[in-house]
Amino acid sequence: MTLRTRYSVQSHVGLKRKVNEDAVLALPELNIWVVSDGMGGHAAGDYASRLIADMAAGIPLDLAPGDRLQALRDTLHEAHRLIRAEAASQGIDVIGATVVALLLAEGHFAALWAGDSRLYRLRDGEIEMLTTDHSVVAALVEAGHMSWDEAEHHPQSNAITRAVGVGDELELEKIKGDILPGDRFLICSDGLTKYATFEMLRKSLSEQPIEVICDHLIQIALAGGGGDNITTAVIDII
């Protein structure tokens, strides 16, 4: 199958923050999309997320799909090193950012992530969360104590356990799977998922055309309170 895509990306500072610490990158020529969220409450989160996006933008165009995935992984590890060095030079305890990076190749997808930004897939009208948050509340969800929707309202919902720039070694998680015509992928920061339930996402992704879907999702988050930066990337397989 020849891979053909359409996509839309959008980021919004929200209603409560003065600086947008999210970053989004679309590289359709490489079939790579990246969303990164600078860690709230930490200095220079916008530096960390922008560094990740800028470094990923430098991946060479002439790589085979498998080599692109390795280049993406290497880029994130190098960003981790540079962010830690920047924190040390400034005398700051922590600078960091979440990341979700999606790579498409003919018939398959691969994703790398750290933190609580998410990747979803809509297929045949059903939505599936493909990533698992690296967060304190994720363990409660996986143990069956609450749903992901309920976890968004937990007092520790913002406490993440992995991020680029945090800890001695970066721990990236990977998922791979198939793609089919009609699939729709959503990558987003938690500024959206704090306000959009699974059903709201399913309905929006099922009904809204690519030209307006990102704006529609951002409007949901703004209507819910817009307490964080909001970033979305939607990719359609056609």
Side-chain angles (χ1 to χ4, degrees), residues 137-148 150-151 154:
V137 296
L140 300 175
V141 175
E142 292 170 354
H145 297 307
M146 66 181 68
S147 69
W148 285 114
E150 291 168 337
H154 191 278

Side-chain angles (χ1 to χ4, degrees), residues 16-213:
K16 305 291 179 65
R17 302 286 179 89
K18 293 182 178 179
V19 175
N20 191 344
E21 295 187 346
D22 287 0
V24 60
L25 173 69
L27 294 173
E29 64 277 15
L30 288 172
N31 288 311
I32 290 173
W33 289 264
V34 180
V35 167
S36 182
D37 178 359
M39 289 178 60
H42 293 297
D46 54 333
Y47 161 81
S49 62
R50 178 46 53 192
L51 178 70
I52 290 167
D54 287 349
M55 290 185 66
I59 294 174
L61 295 175
D62 57 350
L63 298 178
D67 294 330
R68 289 204 298 270
L69 183 62
Q70 186 58 52
L72 193 55
R73 183 185 290 276
D74 291 345
T75 294
L76 295 175
H77 280 281
E78 179 63 9
H80 178 79
R81 186 188 70 79
L82 292 174
I83 292 167
R84 282 176 55 82
E86 178 69 14
S89 71
Q90 292 192 31
I92 298 172
D93 288 340
V94 176
I95 299 175
T98 71
V99 68
V100 178
L102 173 68
L103 169 65
L104 302 177
E106 292 188 9
H108 296 87
F109 78 90
L112 300 171
W113 80 96
D116 62 355
S117 295
R118 294 179 180 177
L119 171 66
Y120 297 84
R121 180 176 61 193
L122 183 81
R123 174 178 285 179
D124 296 329
E126 297 299 322
I127 192 167
E128 180 181 7
M129 187 170 132
L130 298 175
T131 54
T132 299
D133 293 354
H134 299 132
S135 66
V136 171
V137 296
L140 300 175
V141 175
E142 292 170 354
H145 297 307
M146 66 181 68
S147 69
W148 285 114
D149 288 344
E150 291 168 337
E152 297 298 342
H153 305 288
H154 191 278
Q156 290 185 286
S157 63
N158 289 330
I160 61 174
T161 55
R162 295 190 203 180
V164 183
V166 177
D168 293 337
E169 299 293 330
L170 172 62
E171 292 184 77
L172 292 170
E173 195 162 350
K174 180 177 76 171
I175 186 171
K176 301 174 77 172
D178 67 320
I179 55 177
L180 296 173
D183 283 352
R184 171 170 273 191
F185 290 92
L186 165 66
I187 317 172
C188 62
S189 62
D190 69 339
L192 172 64
T193 52
K194 285 175 183 175
Y195 304 104
T197 65
F198 269 63
E199 177 55 25
M200 292 165 74
L201 292 175
R202 187 201 66 77
K203 189 172 188 297
S204 297
L205 292 169
S206 297
E207 296 177 355
Q208 299 297 323
I210 193 68
E211 292 82 6
V212 301
I213 180 59

